[in-house]
Amino acid sequence: MLYHPYPEFNGVDLMALLKLVPPENADGKLAQLYSITEEMFGAVPNNVRMLGVSPAVLENQLEFARYFRAHPTLSVTFLAMVRLLVAASTDSPYCEKLNTGMLAQLGVPANQAEALKGDPRSAPLSDKERALLTFVLRATKDPHGITAEDVQKLRELGWSDADIFDAVAHGARAMATNIIFDTFKLESDAF
């Protein structure tokens, strides 16, 4: 199981600014989406409950997650590192903790995940993956600073344009969800 849900009181997460529906109170489309989440992740964590405030947005996020979980070239470890480092750069404690936990389950100890925040080039990835990781981080911090030469270097390492695009899309989506979770004060799961 990847997550352990945060305790709730009367079906409302007391720490979030919005009312989150726990699985036992969900019905209709939201209940279906929670069921899919439970199958994918073993539980319905707070981030899913937050996105469930808008079932259409949650459905879109689950499709996004499904696509990346089966990505042909971007590893789950690489993607978790992208999310962790984007969360660290945007000071998003929920996503930092979540992705540190995910990385631990993937064999990256918490102290190594913490060290990545100071030096992403220390990531236990191939040189090819580290280059793409640092590119994504640059793109999320300074998209206007990316040049054709930067993209060409990634191509020369063997990344396709689709891989490069998907990696940046993943980082950009992580930034977007960080904004949502931080705006509405999403409380961390107890994992």
Side-chain angles (χ1 to χ4, degrees), residues 43 54 74-75 138 142 179:
S54 173
L74 303 177
S75 73
R138 283 185 54 223
D142 181 22
I179 291 168

Side-chain angles (χ1 to χ4, degrees), residues 4-8 11 13 19-24 30 34 43-54 58 186 189:
H4 304 285
Y6 186 79
E8 296 164 7
D13 181 338
K19 293 180 181 179
L20 308 183
V21 178
E24 62 272 14
L30 184 58
Y34 279 2
V44 181
N46 285 348
N47 61 342
V48 170
R49 297 173 196 207
M50 176 64 72
L51 294 173
V53 169
S54 173
L58 175 56
L186 183 61
D189 298 276

Side-chain angles (χ1 to χ4, degrees), residues 61-152:
Q61 183 69 20
L62 289 174
E63 257 325 291
F64 188 82
R66 216 181 267 123
Y67 171 72
F68 280 98
R69 284 171 58 100
H71 200 282
T73 55
L74 303 177
S75 73
V76 293
T77 301
F78 169 84
L79 294 169
M81 287 180 185
V82 166
R83 292 188 306 271
L84 171 65
L85 295 174
V86 167
S89 74
T90 59
D91 192 28
S92 183
Y94 181 89
C95 290
E96 279 190 64
K97 186 175 179 184
L98 176 75
N99 287 290
T100 297
M102 292 177 91
L103 284 168
Q105 290 184 347
L106 294 167
V108 178
N111 64 335
Q112 193 171 24
E114 187 64 30
L116 288 173
K117 295 179 201 176
D119 183 12
R121 294 166 299 177
S122 71
L125 299 169
S126 68
D127 290 343
K128 177 181 174 180
E129 287 177 307
R130 268 194 303 280
L132 185 57
L133 177 67
T134 57
F135 176 85
V136 171
L137 297 175
R138 283 185 54 223
T140 58
K141 288 179 184 173
D142 181 22
H144 299 288
I146 298 296
T147 67
E149 181 180 274
D150 296 324
V151 174
Q152 185 57 36

